[in-house]
Amino acid sequence: MIYVTIGTMYMGFPRLVMKMDAIAAATGERVVIQTGLDAVLPTQAESFAFKPHEEVLAIQREARVIVCHAGIGCVRDALDARKPFIVVPRLRRYKEHMNDHQLDLAEMVERRGWGRMVMDVDELDALCAHPPAPATDYMPDQARLIQDLRISIEDVALRRNRK
């Protein structure tokens, strides 16, 4: 089973929802999508808007692979689940967010080897079929993650300022 979460943002993420629905149709694999407030709903995949956190964690434990937007809560939950993990940042150019801040976290996840960042949802077919190995060096320590995020965001800000 593939678990997908797009978070609680009031802006939709149809690019990810539609792609994962297409993967469910093409593969016949069970795909469960947390759709939040998105108006676009899958027709082939299972979906729900919201569930209690413990129920979401139980679904993640069942998953073969987790696909999520680059929100800190779902990234932390995916890492804690110790499952193969793909992060798809919401992008401003698609009107999925007001800015591109999710790129910072997604880049950090990939740079640390904790999961794979995907910018083009067409890459998801191959990655869901053959997902990256789960992170082995991630320590589920909130203080460490916050420290890593601060360092990563400072690094990204420095790189952007140099351009």
Side-chain angles (χ1 to χ4, degrees):
M1 182 261 288
I2 301 170
Y3 175 67
V4 182
T5 178
I6 68 167
T8 60
M9 179 79 181
Y10 70 90
M11 299 171 89
F13 203 174
R15 182 170 63 104
L16 181 56
V17 172
M18 291 186 303
K19 182 59 181 179
M20 295 309 300
D21 197 40
I23 288 172
T27 65
E29 182 170 8
R30 181 177 176 218
V31 175
V32 177
I33 305 173
Q34 178 270 324
T35 58
L37 299 173
D38 203 323
V40 173
L41 298 176
T43 58
Q44 304 299 310
E46 297 173 35
S47 68
F48 63 91
F50 302 100
K51 286 187 182 283
H53 191 237
E54 285 304 315
E55 288 182 37
V56 170
L57 295 178
I59 294 169
Q60 288 184 346
R61 285 190 295 271
E62 275 184 57
R64 181 178 64 79
V65 62
I66 297 170
V67 179
C68 73
H69 76 120
I72 188 64
C74 68
V75 166
R76 190 181 68 230
D77 286 348
L79 288 167
D80 287 345
R82 305 251 190 233
K83 299 288 183 165
F85 165 47
I86 302 164
V87 61
V88 184
R90 290 172 171 267
L91 299 174
R92 182 176 185 225
R93 72 175 172 250
Y94 297 118
K95 296 180 173 49
E96 298 161 348
H97 217 300
M98 296 167 287
N99 57 45
D100 286 329
H101 78 275
Q102 287 199 356
L103 284 170
D104 297 335
L105 180 55
E107 288 171 353
M108 187 192 84
V109 165
E110 181 152 300
R111 191 170 54 251
R112 294 210 174 254
W114 291 343
R116 176 73 190 273
M117 177 179 72
V118 167
M119 300 292 288
D120 180 352
V121 295
D122 287 335
E123 294 178 38
L124 287 169
D125 297 279
L127 278 172
C128 286
H130 305 286
T136 57
D137 66 339
Y138 171 72
M139 294 172 38
D141 172 13
Q142 189 171 7
R144 177 178 174 216
L145 181 58
I146 290 169
Q147 177 186 357
D148 289 344
L149 283 172
R150 283 188 182 129
I151 292 167
S152 179
I153 290 168
E154 288 168 4
D155 289 347
V156 169
L158 286 172
R159 283 196 311 267
R160 286 186 180 159
N161 287 336
R162 289 183 189 143
K163 291 181 182 180

